Amino acid sequence: MKTFDEVYELLKANPKRRLAVAWGVDEHSVCAASMAIDAGFCEATLYGDRKMIEAVCQKENIDIAKFNIVDVPVELKAIQEAVTAVHEKRADVLMKGLCSTDKYMRGILNKEWGLLPPKAVLSHISVMQHPNYPKFLVFGDMAVIPLPEFKQKIAILKYIVNVCKSLGVANPKIAAVAATEQMLDGMPACVEAAMLSKMAERGQIPGLVDGPLALDVALNKEAAAIKKLKSEVAGDADGLLFPNIESGNVFYKSNTQLVPGVRTAAFVAGASAPCVLSSRADSIDTKLNSIALACLQVK
Amino acid sequence: MKTFDEVYELLKANPKRRLAVAWGVDEHSVCAASMAIDAGFCEATLYGDRKMIEAVCQKENIDIAKFNIVDVPVELKAIQEAVTAVHEKRADVLMKGLCSTDKYMRGILNKEWGLLPPKAVLSHISVMQHPNYPKFLVFGDMAVIPLPEFKQKIAILKYIVNVCKSLGVANPKIAAVAATEQMLDGMPACVEAAMLSKMAERGQIPGLVDGPLALDVALNKEAAAIKKLKSEVAGDADGLLFPNIESGNVFYKSNTQLVPGVRTAAFVAGASAPCVLSSRADSIDTKLNSIALACLQVK
């Protein structure tokens, strides 16, 4: 698949996934859930104050009957009930409503009724459809792990590989991004990229991994040719592993802010179920794509 | 000024600057120097093997008479002579030819005949003209300092301010970039952004500085409005101070690789004269813009 439209087509052919929206009482999350239902690939339960939900539906002209509603008028309790539903397999995908990211993540991390497998690494994985790149780009982490340790990078890399596969890429090519393609021993991003490349070469981790690669040679065959790089990944990356949150965040925001036609999706990987973590500033398209991407990860 | 074309117009009205090209014997640097001469804002001296220069000029159909040539057939010696010419004020701008970045930088750093003032911080400053942003973006460091310490960030910020001013921005607005606009005490990029903001507010450093700002709110007024940010910089940045080399590099390469119509320039600031440090993979436009930008910095 190369576009989100193809993802929607595939999802329609799958069984409908069950979405649990934690404190789903604001227009952003209710509208996104409504559109996902209308797109035909999920059903949704809103956990929140029924009166607030009714008001939003009225204002946005949404037929409230399309939702299941669990009337919980207290934010923290609503989060707990939504997370518990996923924990108990009564729902497939968790989604953030009006609650803060902090409260939402603490719900996922709860030891009794949360979604965290032992030793799990939670990471934010994004997918970008770019008008000037011929296929999806899957990357992380741009929102959850500030400076991943090596073991966390391995986890993020595995999530990227899995998402690439869910999008139909049989043998994903992952660039471990750095500021240069030279293996400079003074730069941790370069050193760890070399380590990951070798681990992939030895079959210790999945995917076809090469790094360090600067973004130009990761994405552009010509730039790689000028620099005489021998690399199966260079110029043809499916995935980008960023060395720190700032570089991932800048990649995401530079493209979403400055490039018309870019479409994105994201979710939190590493929990026992995919978790959608949209921000208020996300577009409706991004919110809907993110629900679709999360549904696509459900086994 | 909002475009490089305007920069060229201004430069033509200034006295011609004198360019010293270190080991200027390859087609990339010779062509760029030739175009800069033709553009009417500089004269150029090539330090290198005359036979190699003659061969390049013949191949590229360039009139060799437009250059001054100092025939030095040995690379390191040619670098030394070019740097010395700038050191002794016989040239205004240094430019890298075929020599490696490493040898070039060591020339600049030489204690006897180099270009390093005491306690100077060398940093790579870039300028981007973007089809989807209404003015120049000046940013650093994407190529020289891997992880700037706080004092180095202050130096980089001053260089960004100076370059903004050279481009006609009287009171430059600088965003100290992070992955979020929240002042999260666990993220050094956020902490140091807050420190820089306060120092600018107190008049300790120049410019109108705000941070932490994620790239969306730095560049987009709407995103800033959605998040209810009160900031004179948000949505209207002239300059971007990146917290590490990877984020700066990703910003540069994402835009140059994935956005048609982006034009860039860069130079090394902090030496006693501006130094041009183009890479083989740079386009001719970037190389020429970089010479122009460096010439614009000459006092």
Side-chain angles (χ1 to χ4, degrees):
Chain A
M1 288 179 279
K2 295 182 177 187
T3 65
F4 282 109
D5 292 343
E6 291 173 75
V7 172
Y8 288 112
E9 285 308 309
L10 176 69
L11 283 174
K12 271 187 226 168
N14 285 350
K16 284 189 186 179
R17 305 308 183 187
R18 298 162 301 170
L19 195 62
V21 188
W23 199 230
V25 296
D26 60 318
E27 59 187 75
H28 296 284
S29 61
V30 172
C31 288
S34 166
M35 288 176 70
I37 292 167
D38 294 349
F41 62 82
C42 72
E43 49 191 60
T45 305
L46 308 180
Y47 293 81
D49 186 324
R50 179 182 284 274
K51 283 181 194 150
M52 292 171 78
I53 297 167
E54 282 170 355
V56 166
C57 286
Q58 196 164 18
K59 187 181 161 215
E60 299 291 329
N61 206 12
I62 292 170
D63 176 10
I64 197 166
K66 71 173 76 169
F67 302 113
N68 306 312
I69 294 176
V70 176
D71 185 12
V72 197
V74 180
E75 181 183 1
L76 282 177
K77 187 74 186 154
I79 297 171
Q80 177 174 349
E81 295 219 5
V83 174
T84 302
V86 179
H87 179 94
E88 294 176 351
K89 312 281 184 203
R90 290 181 280 117
D92 303 304
V93 170
L94 184 69
M95 177 173 153
K96 186 173 97 74
L98 185 61
C99 54
S100 72
T101 299
D102 193 41
K103 287 175 189 165
Y104 181 72
M105 295 302 288
R106 271 188 277 148
I108 295 171
L109 295 170
N110 184 281
K111 285 186 183 167
E112 272 173 72
W113 43 264
L115 306 177
L116 209 65
K119 295 192 186 176
V121 173
L122 289 186
S123 174
H124 188 268
I125 304 296
S126 304
V127 175
M128 185 178 288
Q129 175 187 332
H130 197 294
N132 302 317
Y133 196 71
K135 51 188 180 177
F136 278 126
L137 279 166
V138 181
F139 61 96
D141 181 318
M142 74 106 181
V144 168
I145 304 179
L147 189 65
E149 295 172 6
F150 188 66
K151 279 192 184 0
Q152 293 174 313
K153 282 189 182 174
I154 293 175
I156 298 169
L157 198 142
K158 286 178 181 171
Y159 302 149
I160 291 174
V161 167
N162 288 341
V163 172
C164 286
K165 288 185 173 172
S166 79
L167 294 165
V169 183
N171 195 14
K173 299 178 178 183
I174 317 294
V177 175
T180 170
E181 63 284 350
Q182 302 290 312
M183 213 316 291
L184 301 183
D185 62 1
M187 286 187 171
C190 292
V191 173
E192 297 195 356
M195 292 160 68
L196 291 166
S197 301
K198 188 53 73 177
M199 287 178 79
E201 203 181 306
R202 294 282 185 266
Q204 294 168 265
I205 53 177
L208 198 57
V209 181
D210 192 19
L213 289 174
L215 204 63
D216 54 344
V217 291
L219 301 182
N220 186 327
K221 275 196 209 305
E222 264 182 67
I226 289 173
K227 294 190 176 171
K228 293 177 184 162
L229 278 189
K230 284 179 191 169
S231 165
E232 281 187 272
V233 176
D236 194 32
D238 299 290
L240 302 170
L241 175 69
F242 286 101
N244 52 47
I245 197 170
E246 290 88 3
S247 51
N249 200 272
V250 161
F251 179 73
Y252 176 80
K253 289 178 176 167
S254 176
N255 283 297
T256 50
Q257 296 302 321
L258 296 177
V259 186
V262 164
R263 300 178 71 185
T264 60
F267 75 107
V268 174
S272 58
C275 302
V276 179
L277 178 69
S278 295
S279 119
R280 279 170 300 164
D282 284 337
S283 69
I284 280 285
D285 185 59
T286 294
K287 286 173 187 165
L288 188 58
N289 295 341
S290 297
I291 298 172
L293 179 67
C295 287
L296 190 66
Q297 309 310 309
V298 177
K299 299 291 180 307
Chain B
M1 289 179 279
K2 296 181 177 187
T3 66
F4 283 110
D5 293 343
E6 291 172 75
V7 172
Y8 288 110
E9 284 309 309
L10 175 67
L11 283 175
K12 271 188 227 168
N14 285 350
K16 285 190 184 178
R17 304 307 182 187
R18 298 163 301 169
L19 195 62
V21 188
W23 199 232
V25 297
D26 61 316
E27 59 187 75
H28 296 284
S29 61
V30 172
C31 287
S34 166
M35 287 175 69
I37 292 168
D38 294 349
F41 62 83
C42 73
E43 49 192 60
T45 305
L46 309 180
Y47 293 80
D49 186 324
R50 177 181 286 274
K51 282 180 194 152
M52 292 171 78
I53 296 167
E54 282 169 355
V56 166
C57 286
Q58 195 165 18
K59 186 181 162 216
E60 299 292 329
N61 207 11
I62 291 170
D63 177 9
I64 197 167
K66 70 173 74 166
F67 301 113
N68 306 312
I69 295 176
V70 176
D71 185 13
V72 197
V74 180
E75 181 183 1
L76 282 178
K77 187 73 186 155
I79 296 171
Q80 178 174 350
E81 295 218 7
V83 174
T84 301
V86 180
H87 179 94
E88 294 175 352
K89 313 281 183 201
R90 288 180 282 117
D92 303 304
V93 170
L94 184 69
M95 176 174 155
K96 186 172 95 72
L98 185 61
C99 52
S100 72
T101 299
D102 193 40
K103 287 174 188 165
Y104 181 72
M105 294 303 288
R106 270 187 278 148
I108 295 171
L109 295 170
N110 184 281
K111 285 185 183 167
E112 272 174 73
W113 42 265
L115 306 178
L116 209 66
K119 296 192 186 175
V121 174
L122 289 186
S123 174
H124 187 267
I125 304 296
S126 303
V127 175
M128 186 178 287
Q129 174 187 333
H130 197 295
N132 303 317
Y133 196 71
K135 51 188 180 176
F136 277 126
L137 279 166
V138 180
F139 61 97
D141 181 321
M142 74 107 180
V144 168
I145 305 179
L147 190 65
E149 295 173 4
F150 188 68
K151 280 192 182 1
Q152 292 175 313
K153 283 189 182 173
I154 293 176
I156 298 169
L157 198 144
K158 286 179 182 173
Y159 301 150
I160 292 174
V161 167
N162 287 342
V163 172
C164 286
K165 288 185 175 173
S166 80
L167 293 165
V169 182
N171 197 13
K173 298 178 178 182
I174 317 294
V177 175
T180 170
E181 63 284 349
Q182 302 291 311
M183 213 315 292
L184 302 183
D185 61 2
M187 288 188 170
C190 293
V191 173
E192 297 195 354
M195 292 160 68
L196 291 166
S197 301
K198 189 54 73 177
M199 287 178 78
E201 203 180 306
R202 295 282 186 267
Q204 294 168 266
I205 52 177
L208 198 57
V209 181
D210 192 18
L213 290 174
L215 204 62
D216 54 344
V217 291
L219 301 183
N220 187 327
K221 276 196 208 304
E222 266 181 65
I226 289 173
K227 293 190 177 170
K228 293 178 183 161
L229 279 187
K230 284 179 192 169
S231 165
E232 280 187 272
V233 176
D236 194 32
D238 299 291
L240 301 170
L241 175 69
F242 286 102
N244 51 47
I245 197 170
E246 289 89 2
S247 51
N249 201 271
V250 161
F251 179 73
Y252 176 81
K253 289 178 175 166
S254 175
N255 282 298
T256 50
Q257 296 302 320
L258 298 176
V259 187
V262 163
R263 300 178 72 186
T264 60
F267 74 106
V268 175
S272 58
C275 301
V276 179
L277 179 68
S278 295
S279 120
R280 280 168 301 164
D282 285 336
S283 68
I284 280 285
D285 186 58
T286 295
K287 285 172 187 167
L288 188 58
N289 295 341
S290 296
I291 299 172
L293 179 66
C295 287
L296 191 66
Q297 309 310 309
V298 177
K299 300 291 183 304

